[in-house]
Amino acid sequence: MSEVVWRPDEETLEHANVVRLMRRHGYDDYWDLVRRSQEDPEWFWPAAIEDMGLDFSRHWEQVVDLSRGPEWATWFVGSRVSIAWNCVHRWA
C-alpha cells in the first residue's frame, strides 16, 4: 500500500504523545527524533519511559544488553516493573 489513507490534523497532533516527547527534548522534526532513537537508544528509551510516567520498583542497571546479538536484546537489565501498578493501582 503506497497511498496515505489518513494524516492527522493540527489539533490531533497537538495532543499526540510523540509531539509532547519531541517538544520536551527540543525536537521540531519527527524524523530527527526517530534518527536519535535509532542512533542512541541509551538516551531515547529512558526519555520515553520518563515521558510516559512509568514507575519501576527497581531501576535498571543497563538500558539494553546486546551481548547475545540484537535479536536477543535484553532491555532494562536488572529492573523490576509492575504492570498492575502502572496500569491500575496508581490510578485507583
Side-chain angles (χ1 to χ4, degrees), residues 76-88:
F76 302 106
V77 178
S79 70
R80 295 258 170 152
V81 65
S82 169
I83 298 302
W85 168 256
N86 281 284
C87 295
V88 179

Side-chain angles (χ1 to χ4, degrees), residues 46-79:
I49 293 294
E50 180 184 352
D51 186 69
M52 288 184 273
L54 292 177
D55 289 329
F56 283 72
S57 57
R58 183 168 51 191
H59 196 72
W60 56 86
E61 300 156 10
Q62 183 179 0
V63 173
V64 62
D65 176 4
L66 299 173
S67 62
R68 297 184 303 153
E71 66 276 14
W72 299 105
T74 303
W75 292 90
F76 302 106
V77 178
S79 70

Side-chain angles (χ1 to χ4, degrees), residues 12-25:
T12 301
L13 285 173
E14 279 302 310
H15 295 94
N17 293 339
V18 70
V19 172
R20 180 186 62 230
L21 178 64
M22 287 169 54
R23 288 186 178 151
R24 179 176 282 176
H25 294 282

Side-chain angles (χ1 to χ4, degrees), residues 16-40:
N17 293 339
V18 70
V19 172
R20 180 186 62 230
L21 178 64
M22 287 169 54
R23 288 186 178 151
R24 179 176 282 176
H25 294 282
Y27 285 91
D28 295 322
D29 182 76
Y30 170 76
W31 293 110
D32 287 342
L33 179 66
V34 170
R35 258 186 302 287
R36 176 87 188 265
S37 74
Q38 295 167 339
E39 294 169 359
D40 191 2

